[in-house]
Amino acid sequence: MPAHEGHQSPVSGRYDTVIVGGGHNGLVAAAYLARAGRSVLVLERLGTTGGAAVSTRPFAGVDARLSRYSYLVSLLPAKIVRDLGLDFRVRARTVSSYTPCERAGRPTGLLVGGGERRTREAFERLTGSPREYEAWQRFYGMTGRLARQVFPTLTEPLPTREALRRRIDDEDAWRTLFEEPVGAAIEERFADDLVRGVVLTDALIGTFADAHDPSLAQNRCFLYHVIGGGTGAWDVPVGGMGALTDALAEAARTAGAVLATGHEAIRIESDGRSAEVAYRTADGEGVAAARHVLVNASPQELARLTGETPPTPAEGAQLKVNMLLTRLPRLRDTAVDPREAFAGTFHIAEGYGQLAAAHAQAASGALPEAPPSEIYCHSLTDPSILGPELADSGHHTLTLFGLHTPARLFERDNDAVREELLKSTLAQLDAHLAEPLADCLATDADGRPCIEAKTPLDLERDLRLPGGNIFHRELAWPYAQEGTGRWGVETRQPNVLLCGAGAVRGGGVSGVPGHNAAMAVLEEDLSPR
């Protein structure tokens, strides 16, 4: 049965496990448990599985399949792909990033990638000395060593704080990432404002915080951005993000899991040993019983389903924009080919001072005057997401992720503020282009420009992300803390587990919470009673 079809047969009955939510984490858990011989039912309220990790054709009559909400892959362990036998690949980008700027009245920029020699030359051309490049090498050498130690722990029982510290075995790295605001480390190591900003961006993707925020929310965000795969590399999913969730759905179905789309869970009742999940469909309501229930949804949704008081939502703070272009725009910086500049992460208005100013303005209740954002072009690395005619004629996709735009800014008038923010964000990009982006936008079958924007409130409405937060709640340190349990997925009821992004070591497209919830279930089944 294709992933987009709803399950037509009655699903009421008894299962070993019922999973609420068919996003990628729910599908990972379903595949693991079904392959272990457990009977599994997945209840998904939407008409498709995949959640936020989907590919769609958002523009009428246009054969371009875009990763609509989540774009790149870093945190998905190769272990999960191997364990589940997934037909899924990622492709490395040839360029890490390009950041345009103006120095001494002329357009220039910083290209990171294309080989060590070229990157070194780019740093020296921008800053006038080798110092910043050498500092860059030392800093990311440190994070790389840390990544190799931390990443494998994500699919193991939670280590204690001290056990993780001993495993890292680098007091400078521990202090930099776990104890002091990352802004202090950036200012200590780097002098150039643009270089500082490029480093800081990894601490701000989806997290509304200042470089020196005492909560260290920015440090936790930075940590998850630099440990992926043990390298910190962010790769392009071949076939789009939907290729991953399609492969997961197929793996779960092949192993015997029942995937019921169009089935919305409305209540969970548990006595700690057995549970019932009530659900609603277009035809009525039903109940499925299970020994375990896994919730691939936010902590707020878990509380709603179990009748508990929900936690305060963590506010989302991003603008997501999808575009299709007839061609890549020319750059004011003629030393860089647009095919290189857009192949990596194209940073816009993300100097260190610009990021601080944007955060201060948004924190005061105003839209940033120079909204920071970053763009990448999926189709340069993986043209398979375009139909043959579009690919042959030079069309390309662009996806933009805007920073420092908290949900509160959109509450007065979501549509009007979205349009205002989109206009000012694209104006920041246009400042570095030799031609307006609007001249490069493709049009759909109805003659409308191929561009769509999503605010935190749009994401809350479409995907039930609380506050529009892409991580479901503030990211947690990847070690045991009070109330986290052995795997970081436990709740007050021993047979109800949280397997979504809001679990400890959740956030991002990783499959880690799904894997860990499945391991917790299987581990309990093997324990003596």
Side-chain angles (χ1 to χ4, degrees):
M1 180 178 63
H4 62 273
E5 291 186 8
H7 192 278
Q8 302 303 317
S9 304
V11 299
S12 296
R14 177 166 292 278
Y15 300 82
D16 292 321
T17 303
V18 172
I19 299 175
V20 176
H24 81 282
N25 278 306
L27 296 173
V28 166
Y32 269 106
L33 292 171
R35 286 167 67 94
R38 307 308 191 268
S39 58
V40 179
L41 169 66
V42 178
L43 300 173
E44 169 53 52
R45 72 179 178 90
L46 299 176
T48 62
T49 55
V54 293
S55 298
T56 59
R57 291 178 174 84
F59 308 121
V62 178
D63 190 11
R65 196 164 182 260
L66 280 68
S67 298
R68 196 168 199 179
Y69 301 109
S70 52
Y71 303 144
L72 298 171
V73 174
S74 178
L75 292 164
L76 174 68
K79 174 188 188 300
I80 292 177
V81 177
R82 289 193 305 268
D83 286 352
L84 301 181
L86 301 181
D87 181 15
F88 173 72
R89 294 176 296 118
V90 295
R91 191 170 293 161
R93 299 183 291 172
T94 57
V95 169
S96 176
S97 69
Y98 171 71
T99 309
C101 66
E102 189 171 289
R103 294 279 169 95
R106 64 178 182 85
T108 184
L110 177 64
L111 184 75
V112 179
E116 182 177 346
R117 178 180 175 181
R118 193 166 180 212
T119 301
R120 177 186 290 273
E121 291 173 350
F123 270 87
E124 292 187 10
R125 185 168 55 251
L126 179 76
T127 66
S129 84
R131 180 190 178 280
E132 293 293 90
Y133 178 71
E134 291 165 358
W136 179 279
Q137 289 291 87
R138 288 192 298 272
F139 184 73
Y140 284 104
M142 175 194 72
T143 64
R145 291 188 296 274
L146 180 141
R148 288 190 291 274
Q149 297 304 316
V150 174
F151 190 68
T153 71
L154 299 188
T155 50
E156 300 170 356
L158 277 168
T160 65
R161 186 175 190 269
E162 283 308 308
L164 187 62
R165 186 173 188 167
R166 288 194 302 270
R167 182 162 179 161
I168 291 170
D169 192 26
D170 183 333
E171 285 304 305
D172 183 45
W174 182 266
R175 173 180 58 82
T176 298
L177 269 69
F178 290 83
E179 294 187 346
E180 297 178 358
V182 72
I186 292 173
E187 292 170 17
E188 175 186 325
R189 289 166 169 81
F190 303 99
D192 187 89
D193 181 85
L194 191 75
V195 176
R196 285 178 170 181
V198 174
V199 177
L200 180 61
T201 56
D202 277 342
L204 304 178
I205 302 294
T207 296
F208 185 59
D210 181 73
H212 293 278
D213 195 311
S215 76
L216 302 188
Q218 73 281 24
N219 287 46
R220 296 191 293 276
C221 184
F222 186 83
L223 178 68
Y224 282 96
H225 275 88
V226 299
I227 63 173
T231 66
W234 287 79
D235 296 329
V236 174
V238 176
M241 198 63 79
L244 171 61
T245 44
D246 287 349
L248 285 168
E250 180 62 25
R253 274 197 304 269
T254 300
V258 176
L259 308 185
T261 54
H263 287 61
E264 180 181 8
I266 55 177
R267 186 175 63 259
I268 297 172
E269 294 182 356
S270 171
D271 63 8
R273 296 180 302 277
S274 62
E276 289 187 342
V277 181
Y279 62 84
R280 177 188 300 122
T281 72
D283 300 321
E285 297 184 359
V287 175
R291 181 174 170 192
H292 291 98
V293 177
L294 275 54
V295 179
N296 178 206
S298 69
Q300 283 74 17
E301 185 68 7
L302 170 63
R304 184 187 70 82
L305 290 169
T306 57
E308 298 181 358
T309 302
T312 302
E315 186 177 35
Q318 68 285 317
L319 176 74
K320 285 180 173 283
V321 184
N322 295 316
M323 297 171 266
L324 179 69
L325 310 183
T326 58
R327 66 183 185 281
L328 291 176
R330 292 177 288 110
L331 305 176
R332 292 185 62 215
D333 178 7
T334 57
V336 178
D337 187 322
R339 294 180 63 86
E340 287 189 307
F342 287 103
T345 300
F346 191 114
H347 296 282
I348 306 163
E350 290 190 331
Y352 198 69
Q354 289 175 306
L355 288 167
H359 178 268
Q361 289 163 358
S364 71
L367 282 175
E369 294 175 8
S373 63
E374 39 202 61
I375 291 177
Y376 95 99
C377 177
H378 186 129
S379 52
L380 280 171
T381 304
D382 171 32
S384 72
I385 64 169
L386 298 176
E389 290 186 9
L390 293 180
D392 291 345
S393 59
H395 283 64
H396 281 291
T397 64
L398 287 187
T399 50
L400 180 149
F401 193 108
L403 281 63
H404 287 338
T405 54
R408 71 192 82 158
L409 301 181
F410 300 89
E411 290 174 351
R412 60 179 173 86
D413 189 335
N414 187 46
D415 292 340
V417 177
R418 184 199 307 111
E419 288 305 309
E420 181 183 353
L421 178 61
L422 179 61
K423 182 178 179 180
S424 57
T425 298
L426 295 182
Q428 292 301 311
L429 172 61
D430 277 348
H432 300 288
L433 302 180
E435 57 184 326
L437 182 72
D439 289 355
C440 303
L441 282 173
T443 53
D444 67 13
D446 300 317
R448 295 172 298 198
C450 291
I451 182 169
E452 67 164 9
K454 300 284 186 180
T455 71
L457 299 189
D458 296 328
L459 297 181
E460 183 173 45
R461 178 197 64 218
D462 296 347
L463 300 173
R464 292 192 179 173
L465 298 180
N469 190 290
I470 60 174
F471 305 132
H472 287 192
R473 63 179 173 188
E474 285 193 3
L475 292 167
W477 296 113
Y479 52 69
Q481 297 145 71
E482 184 179 353
T484 57
R486 176 170 161 79
W487 286 94
V489 298
E490 294 81 359
T491 73
R492 293 182 182 179
Q493 288 287 5
N495 65 336
V496 178
L497 304 177
L498 180 66
C499 72
V504 179
R505 303 180 293 190
V509 176
S510 72
V512 168
H515 169 278
N516 291 347
M519 294 306 107
V521 169
L522 296 175
E523 191 174 76
E524 180 188 320
D525 287 349
L526 292 174
S527 63
R529 290 180 172 77

